[in-house]
Amino acid sequence: MIKNKPNPEEFQSLSIQYLAQSIDHLLKTEMALAVHGDWETNKLEEEWEQRQGILGNSLIMLFLAIENYLKYQICKVDPLLLLGGEPSKWGLTGADKDFEDLYIHQFDDLLVVYQEITSKVIEAKVKTTLEGLRKKRNKYTHGLHREILEPSYIVEAQAIFLAGLWGDTWVYDFKSVMLTESLYGLSSDEEEHMQLLYYYKFFEKYLSVKTFRALIGMPKDGRRYLCPYCTNNAVESGLLFEANYALLEPNKHESNEVKCWVCDCHSEVERRGCTENDCPANVIFPEDPCYEHVSDCCLTCGSAQSR
């Protein structure tokens, strides 16, 4: 009998932890390298050329995240589907065997099993990316990788994995392992939102608009606006980021509500022209004493409105 069969959640937890490490290797290094803290606009190609080991670690962590995600999905059906080789070679009949001592399918086989049990067809772009990652990972772990690796390659691979396999629910899973910084005057949930802003800004640095929107599950159409809630918290905590991840909900001319893709909050807005010169926008957050930093503010240019 096979003992200690894994739960799917074990692989899910490992996958999201490896993913967090893969992203953090890049983000935290860029934050340390950037001049005056403006890492989201700094060009750091030369610095990254000297830090191929960090990039290699990030790539390996990403590969492990993908591998454990496949195991998670397969294990939800039956953990025995993970086992490779012939059952007759698992050990003596009737003898107890520990699951972790048995051989699990290699990556290519996991992909096949995943597609069979989920009836999902992996897109060609995703397959090509996964194959490229596998080859590079093998060079880093079993040989020598001389080709210069750039952070853009890893970030794009992260986005393809998350959008192409995991889906936009990855954000909620990611929050469970995301380390947050204590920020004066903010609740734990608000601190989480501010930390998520860092990750979104990082992804936006390397991804196209279309790819970034697909990554976080944001509709591909619609102008982005400042989120009143996140903007107020960003100003309150001293962050210099634009929290412009809100869209009209629904995306229609007469809509009077915006939804934020960081905090998931809905905010009522007024549709009137901005009083700032040269700003043609007409989405205004009304006066609200609870939002002192964005009360009666244009959610496009961020200016206070004059009466």
Side-chain angles (χ1 to χ4, degrees), residues 65-104:
I66 298 169
E67 192 171 51
N68 278 275
Y69 175 78
L70 297 175
K71 293 176 183 177
Y72 159 59
Q73 292 293 344
I74 295 169
C75 192
K76 286 198 296 184
V77 177
D78 191 332
L80 294 181
L81 291 172
L82 293 169
L83 297 178
E86 300 174 21
S88 61
K89 296 180 180 179
W90 288 351
L92 296 174
T93 303
D96 288 340
K97 297 164 286 291
D98 199 299
F99 188 93
E100 67 180 47
D101 293 329
L102 299 174
Y103 178 75
I104 290 180

Side-chain angles (χ1 to χ4, degrees), residues 19 27 60 98 193 265:
L19 173 67
L27 171 59
I60 291 169
D98 199 299
H193 301 153
C265 289

